[in-house]
């Protein structure tokens, strides 16, 4: 399919608009909706999402996340951005103002990178409410917008986070030491001492004995089924007897009479009275 101008064409940019219209029709957009691309205020963006996720099942789940239950998420994106969005195959077609197309592309790509569209939808709703207040026109909106942190950090990010936490602790200790007139320096960048490596040996570690090997050593392997059962019963009875003895000893402790102080004799009483009179 080709597009070319005629002698009656007065707008040279219409050839690019016609190209975009053919692209939209090829992606399954209805003719009545695709014709709107000929308007100068309307642009289109075809977002390729097929090569972002390799796993087919994961790709289908994340693509369905853009649509949402009964198309509710897609409807919310259309209402907030003022764009027409169509999810078809490995692409997402969007039509609307230039500024809104950037938001749609950001939402779609973030969704395919496992960031749920609801987070971006919340942000757009907050921005819409803030735009109504003329006092905030010249201020930064960062303090009002939600900050969503990623749950899964890379090993490098985890290490950087630990270093920052250690640096904060060292600063707090130094501040406390300065208040008391002492100074305490700790090297944050110093790595912990490495463990000593074991001596290399080409021989593998000795194999642990199996249960059958242990039974062969003890002679239990050659016992009959009735003898094994009798041995198991004897072992269980011995274990129960030991546990019962421990329980009875614990109960008997409650009945042990406490030690009582010995009453003073008559001679001791006289001696004590005499001592008090003399003093």
């Amino acid at each position: 399919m080709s597009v070319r101008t005629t002698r009656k064409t007065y707008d040279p940019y219409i050839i690019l608009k016609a190209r975009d219209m053919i692209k939209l029709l090829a992606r399954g957009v209805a003719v009545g909706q695709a014709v709107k691309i000929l308007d100068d205020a309307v642009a289109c963006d075809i977002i390729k999402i097929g090569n972002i996720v390799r796993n087919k099942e994961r790709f289908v789940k994340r693509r369905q996340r853009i649509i949402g239950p009964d198309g509710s998420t897609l409807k919310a994106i259309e209402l907030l951005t003022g764009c027409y969005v169509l999810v078809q195959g490995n692409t997402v077609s969007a039509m609307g103002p230039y500024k809104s197309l950037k938001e749609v592309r950001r939402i779609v790509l973030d969704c395919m990178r496992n960031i749920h569209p609801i987070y971006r939808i919340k942000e757009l709703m907050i921005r819409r409410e803030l735009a109504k207040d003329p006092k905030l026109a010249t201020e930064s909106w960062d303090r009002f917008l939600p900050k969503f942190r990623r749950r899964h950090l890379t090993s490098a990010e985890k290490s950087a986070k630990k270093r920052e936490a250690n640096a904060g602790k060292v600063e707090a200790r130094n501040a406390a030491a300065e208040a008391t007139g002492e100074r305490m320096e700790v090297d944050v960048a110093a790595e912990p001492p490495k463990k000593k490596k074991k001596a290399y040996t080409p021989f593998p570690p000795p194999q642990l004995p199996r249960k059958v090997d242990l039974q062969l050593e003890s002679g239990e392997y050659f016992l009959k089924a009735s003898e094994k059962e009798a041995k198991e019963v004897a072992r269980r009875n011995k274990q129960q007897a030991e546990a019962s003895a421990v329980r009875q000893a614990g109960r008997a402790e409650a009945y042990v009479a406490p030690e009582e102080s010995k009453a003073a004799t008559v001679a001791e009483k006289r001696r004590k009275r005499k001592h008090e009179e003399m003093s």
Side-chain angles (χ1 to χ4, degrees):
M1 188 175 288
S2 60
V3 179
R4 58 174 62 91
T5 58
T6 63
R7 291 188 177 183
K8 295 181 180 180
T9 304
Y10 61 89
D11 184 9
Y13 191 69
I14 197 69
I15 191 168
L16 299 177
K17 290 285 188 178
R19 179 203 63 184
D20 293 342
M21 181 178 173
I22 291 171
K23 280 185 180 179
L24 293 170
L25 290 172
R27 296 316 309 157
V29 179
V31 178
Q33 182 67 35
V35 171
K36 295 179 182 179
I37 195 65
L38 300 177
D39 188 3
D40 290 338
V42 180
C44 75
D45 188 9
I46 297 176
I47 308 160
K48 296 180 180 179
I49 58 174
N51 57 352
I52 298 175
V53 183
R54 291 186 179 182
N55 192 335
K56 185 68 176 177
E57 294 179 2
R58 196 174 296 166
F59 168 76
V60 172
K61 284 182 180 179
R62 293 183 185 177
R63 186 182 62 183
Q64 184 62 29
R65 209 178 281 170
I66 301 172
I67 301 170
D70 299 329
S72 57
T73 307
L74 193 66
K75 190 69 176 175
I77 294 170
E78 289 180 347
L79 289 172
L80 289 169
T81 58
C83 296
Y84 171 81
V85 184
L86 176 69
V87 181
Q88 180 75 22
N90 292 335
T91 58
V92 177
S93 305
M95 291 176 58
Y98 292 97
K99 192 174 180 181
S100 299
L101 288 176
K102 289 183 179 180
E103 294 291 342
V104 174
R105 173 173 278 272
R106 180 188 175 198
I107 292 170
V108 171
L109 294 179
D110 284 350
C111 181
M112 297 309 293
R113 295 187 185 112
N114 203 20
I115 300 174
H116 203 280
I118 192 65
Y119 298 135
R120 303 303 178 196
I121 290 171
K122 284 182 180 179
E123 187 177 331
L124 289 174
M125 292 173 68
I126 294 169
R127 284 180 183 274
R128 174 179 280 191
E129 293 298 323
L130 292 173
K132 296 177 182 178
D133 192 353
K135 296 179 182 178
L136 300 173
T138 57
E139 296 182 14
S140 176
W141 293 351
D142 292 339
R143 56 197 171 103
F144 301 106
L145 299 177
K147 294 178 177 61
F148 304 104
R149 65 179 183 84
R150 289 185 299 170
R151 291 184 180 178
H152 303 289
L153 301 175
T154 61
S155 57
E157 290 172 341
K158 288 179 182 177
S159 302
K161 206 170 184 181
K162 284 181 182 178
R163 283 195 294 271
E164 288 177 4
N166 292 338
K169 289 179 182 178
V170 170
E171 288 177 3
R173 288 175 190 168
N174 289 339
E178 284 178 1
T180 56
E182 298 177 0
R183 182 66 181 167
M184 208 171 129
E185 290 291 340
V186 180
D187 190 6
V188 181
E191 295 182 358
K194 295 182 179 179
K195 295 180 180 179
K196 292 183 179 180
K197 292 184 178 180
K198 295 181 180 179
Y200 172 74
T201 172
F203 305 105
Q207 186 177 2
L208 296 174
R210 299 176 301 164
K211 189 177 181 180
V212 177
D213 297 334
L214 296 173
Q215 289 177 352
L216 286 169
E217 288 180 6
S218 62
E220 187 182 351
Y221 184 79
F222 303 102
L223 295 177
K224 297 179 182 178
S226 57
E227 292 175 344
K228 287 182 181 179
E229 189 176 351
K231 190 174 180 181
E232 180 65 22
V233 170
R235 186 190 63 79
R236 201 180 301 123
N237 291 339
K238 183 180 178 183
Q239 191 175 0
Q240 289 176 357
E242 290 175 357
S244 177
V246 171
R247 273 199 307 273
Q248 288 178 1
R251 290 172 186 167
E253 287 178 0
Y255 299 101
V256 175
E259 294 183 2
E260 297 180 358
S261 58
K262 197 174 182 182
T265 60
V266 178
E268 289 176 352
K269 287 180 182 178
R270 287 176 182 172
R271 216 178 294 123
K272 185 178 180 182
R273 199 181 304 120
K274 189 176 180 180
H275 180 71
E276 288 176 357
E277 290 175 357
M278 288 177 66
S279 60

